[in-house]
Amino acid sequence: MTTSGVERAEGVVADAYDVVVVGGGAGGLSAALILGRVRRSVLVVDAGEPRNAPAAHMQGYPSRDGMPPAEFLAVVREEVAGYGGEVRRDTVTEVVPDGAGEFDVVLAGGGRVHARRVVVATGLVDVLPDLPGVAERWGREVLHCPYCHGWEVRDQRIGVLYREEVGVHQALLFGQLSSEVTLFLDGSELPGEQRELLEAAGVRASVDGKLAELVVTDDRLTGVRLADGEVREVEAFVVPPRMVPRDGVLTALGVRTHETPAGTFPEVDATGMTSFPGVWAVGNAIGAAEQVVNAASAGYRAGVAVNTALLQDDLAARPVPARS
Ligand SMILES: Cc1cc2nc3c(=O)[nH]c(=O)nc-3n(C[C@H](O)[C@H](O)[C@H](O)COP(=O)(O)OP(=O)(O)OC[C@H]3O[C@@H](n4cnc5c(N)ncnc54)[C@H](O)[C@@H]3O)c2cc1C
């Protein structure tokens, strides 16, 4: 179903595919896998920076619990290739509607490819709190998600950075895993009702002072230094990143967005279809809560919906045989 070297008004397009998938994490590769299995020509363009890259292990994916994230993606890339799907290391800078319901996809590395449909699976960016040491230890001992890393730090001394309710929520969740959770207020006031909630849940302490930096000894997080010089021992430190979707190609198309507890994200229907006809979006690009298994599941669903839409087009384009 691939047409190569399609002549278009703007000039010669190098390649044409049924579907171009923008982003080759769990969401994008899963869509490509299912599209390849029904013989759709599919290209995955991937910039190669999956969100969980800083973590040594991926947890909570049934049958792959504990697998290194890079290994997981390498396996799926091979599976995609096994059905004829292509994965190309590049960055999509723009998805341009061609005026006929299809798209030209512009690549940073030069050139463009044509797509009948587009699936955007570009993930999100974690904007970390501006505290020295946090970015360096992110995905190691600096954590955000009890489901991703909580078990691994159970019973350890866990510090939690207070940033309004989200800090309290994280302290309560990590309090399920350790009795040694300390909330660091970093100069903020802890409202009375939040303090009561924490006390009731057994979160034993909060520290009032402003923070200066994380303390690392022999390549291990060992503490949090307060602005007055005092060091509190911790082995893990929980922060609330601000999660910003990598949705540039979608916003340029003017897709509808909506407000979520984590901020503004592109809006999609149950299959991942955006408000722009022919464009689907899945994974962290459309929701902060999507874990690897959710992104993969959404990619599968979008792949099925995209194939159904293509099938309808194929049938509509076919001449109806005359009845004798
Ligand atoms: C430190 C950390 C640890 C985590 N651990 C776990 C865990 O143990 N278990 C779990 O289930 N979840 C975990 N997560 C969450 C997990 O990373 C996400 O759920 C998952 O990566 C979402 O998959 P995705 O396909 O939506 O996006 P991603 O995996 O982020 O993939 C998006 C891909 O798109 C590429 N891309 C972006 N823009 C473009 C563009 N314009 N052109 C081409 N390519 C582009 C990116 O480079 C990237 O390769 C963790 C997150 C973090 C931050």
Side-chain angles (χ1 to χ4, degrees):
M1 291 180 193
T2 310
T3 26
S4 287
V6 180
E7 291 278 5
R8 306 200 64 74
E10 313 87 326
V12 175
V13 177
D15 297 289
Y17 297 85
D18 287 324
V19 185
V20 170
V21 178
V22 188
L29 289 174
S30 171
L33 181 62
I34 218 61
L35 285 159
R37 283 182 49 75
V38 288
R39 306 189 83 174
R40 292 296 178 187
S41 60
V42 57
L43 170 70
V44 180
V45 183
D46 183 36
E49 289 181 4
R51 184 178 172 212
N52 56 350
H57 303 284
M58 174 189 76
Q59 310 294 157
Y61 196 108
S63 87
R64 297 293 177 268
D65 188 49
M67 195 175 194
E71 192 181 321
F72 172 74
L73 293 179
V75 170
V76 192
R77 280 196 296 271
E78 254 180 54
E79 290 170 346
V80 168
Y83 297 104
E86 288 176 48
V87 183
R88 196 179 294 181
R89 176 61 63 86
D90 208 331
T91 299
V92 169
T93 55
E94 206 180 349
V95 171
V96 185
D98 71 352
E102 298 185 354
F103 304 92
D104 289 330
V105 178
V106 184
L107 306 178
R112 47 176 66 198
V113 290
H114 186 72
R116 296 172 66 193
R117 297 289 189 278
V118 173
V119 177
V120 176
T122 43
L124 62 71
V125 175
D126 292 288
V127 181
L128 298 172
D130 188 15
L131 177 68
V134 163
E136 291 81 351
R137 308 308 292 183
W138 174 237
R140 297 177 72 181
E141 305 98 343
V142 174
L143 315 169
H144 72 298
C145 164
Y147 307 103
C148 304
H149 334 270
W151 177 262
E152 286 64 38
V153 298
R154 66 194 182 283
D155 298 328
Q156 292 188 4
R157 286 194 197 89
I158 303 173
V160 178
L161 180 62
Y162 178 74
R163 290 288 186 264
E164 300 178 350
E165 289 92 2
V166 63
V168 173
H169 185 61
Q170 285 179 313
L172 292 171
L173 288 172
F174 278 89
Q176 288 179 226
L177 294 150
S178 173
S179 56
E180 304 249 4
V181 173
T182 301
L183 188 65
F184 288 88
L185 296 177
D186 195 21
S188 296
E189 280 289 315
L190 184 63
E193 70 277 12
Q194 291 183 9
R195 194 177 289 276
E196 283 162 23
L197 204 59
L198 289 167
E199 276 166 13
V203 174
R204 46 176 208 130
S206 64
V207 173
D208 292 331
K210 288 285 284 178
L211 305 187
E213 62 175 356
L214 299 187
V215 181
V216 176
T217 314
D218 295 333
D219 201 29
R220 289 289 312 167
L221 177 67
T222 53
V224 177
R225 193 184 316 278
L226 298 162
D228 65 7
E230 185 194 354
V231 173
R232 294 291 184 114
E233 281 181 32
V234 298
E235 295 157 285
F237 192 64
V238 177
V239 301
R242 191 163 57 83
M243 298 173 196
V244 182
R246 284 202 198 100
D247 59 359
V249 297
L250 294 171
T251 52
L253 289 168
V255 304
R256 207 165 35 240
T257 57
H258 67 147
E259 292 309 312
T260 77
T264 308
F265 278 76
E267 189 177 275
V268 293
D269 75 1
T271 72
M273 190 166 67
T274 70
S275 61
F276 197 98
V279 178
W280 274 255
V282 299
N284 274 160
I286 59 96
E290 302 292 286
Q291 302 290 20
V292 178
V293 73
N294 311 117
S297 162
Y300 192 120
R301 255 198 319 270
V304 169
V306 167
N307 183 51
T308 305
L310 289 171
L311 183 60
Q312 282 163 359
D313 282 5
D314 295 341
L315 293 174
R318 219 170 269 172
V320 181
R323 293 194 175 195
S324 54

